[in-house]
Amino acid sequence: MNKSYEIDMCHGPLLKQIIIFSVPLMLSGILQLLFNAADIIVVGRFTGSDALAAVGSTSSLINLLVNLFIGISVGANVLFGRFCGAHDDKNASETVHTAICTAIYGGIIMIFVGNIFARPLLELMGTPQNVIDLSTIYMRIYFIGMPGFMVYNFGAALLRTVGDTKRPLYYLTFAGIINVIFNLIFVIVFHLGVAGVAISTMMSECISAVLVLRCLIHADGVLKLSKDQLRFHKDKLIKMLQIGLPAGLQGMVFNISNVLIQSSVNSFGSIIVAGNTSASNIEGFVYTAMNSIYQTSLSFTSQNMGAKNYSRVNQILVRCLVVVSIIGFVLGFGAYLLGNVLLTIYSTDPQVISAGLIRLSIVSASYFLCGIMDVIVGSLRGMGYSMMPMLISLTGACLFRVIWIFTVFQMNHSLFVLYISYPISWILTLSAQMICYLKVRKHAFV
């Protein structure tokens, strides 16, 4: 491992290290989002609003299906960070090989899951009939690239654990350029529509995975990936699952509530679906910026717990909360203020823009609350507590939204009533998560 890419998370000025760590991570996340944004923009501009709605209507469902494995990558991050902080090279190396095995086999499983269940799940969501065929095509092609998607995310999580957030950014930059170029070629030149953007996204994800694997194979020390040692280590897998499964299940259930909300949006017709798609894609950039601070909190906390620097753990949380609040408020409220301009990138249809502005005014403007909630969860998971924040999040956010959809929304069937469930659920959940953190730290810091 090239030491110039590493960050010493256990010593030195915290705020400076947090910024150095999180900025490349933020850019990486934004670039990864651009894969989907490029799809949406190209089909919206060159194919039409039906294609735009078709691609957008799959996002919640795709997230639902992949979140379990993304959660397990969080478990790999925390476990690897603990061993690195404790300078336990043998167990750290075994964690690396177990994580990559999990990514490869998990990606293969998701190829079959996505292709078998794409159409039935889209029908269950109430996807409009004029776009469901296109949505199915997009999902089935997209899921062929799942091994690449998984390997990149697990590999990048391992690199982040030692402070290397730069090389994943470089890899995504290269893959992102490939994605945009082939989007334009497949859609404009070959007129492949949603199939074309799905193929280009699949290709770009496989390229980023190959680059990450190459990095790990040529790394030194605990990060070095060896073909001869590539196997599951049962004790590491169990520990990864203990931390990661609750995170993954939380992500899945969160997306069940989002799927229900998407189904509710679908009931308003394809124009509203297109507006919601455009607005939620813009919000995705805000969320990704805030999520980089969540991942910073997770990585810094896990390493300092391994090194038994308990007083530093509290300092990490405070600084991450300040940073995420500023990022969330500035970007979230800014996205609403510039909504007309930003939404025009996705569609020039005035009805689509109007529908998108409704969502931005409610969800995006209050998005900083979601960032605060996630950072607290990151600290708890970094401390090794994954089940408790999962239960709180499922109750305070997911269950609340489900109840809201089947009660309040049914009584007042409007977009405002549907979207306002987001900020209310964030306030409830972050309050409970903070109480949880204050209680568990007494037991963790021993």
Side-chain angles (χ1 to χ4, degrees), residues 9 40 60 71 79 95 134 177 181-182 184-185 207 221 231 235 242 254-255 290 293 325 375 395 399 417 439 445:
M9 302 181 191
I40 292 173
S60 295
L79 186 62
T95 302
L134 295 175
I177 293 171
I181 291 173
F182 279 98
L184 296 173
I185 292 173
I207 290 170
R231 64 183 180 85
D235 58 329
Q242 286 174 342
F254 253 103
N255 277 284
M290 296 190 299
I293 310 303
S325 298
V375 164
T395 303
L399 181 60
V417 170
K439 287 184 176 295
F445 296 171

Side-chain angles (χ1 to χ4, degrees), residues 10 34 45 51 93 116 126 152 155 183 219 236 248 267-268 314 346 379:
C10 300
L34 283 172
R45 285 284 187 172
S93 178
I116 293 171
Y152 171 78
N183 264 341
K236 306 304 181 300
S267 69
F268 290 95
N314 286 327
Y346 297 88
S379 289

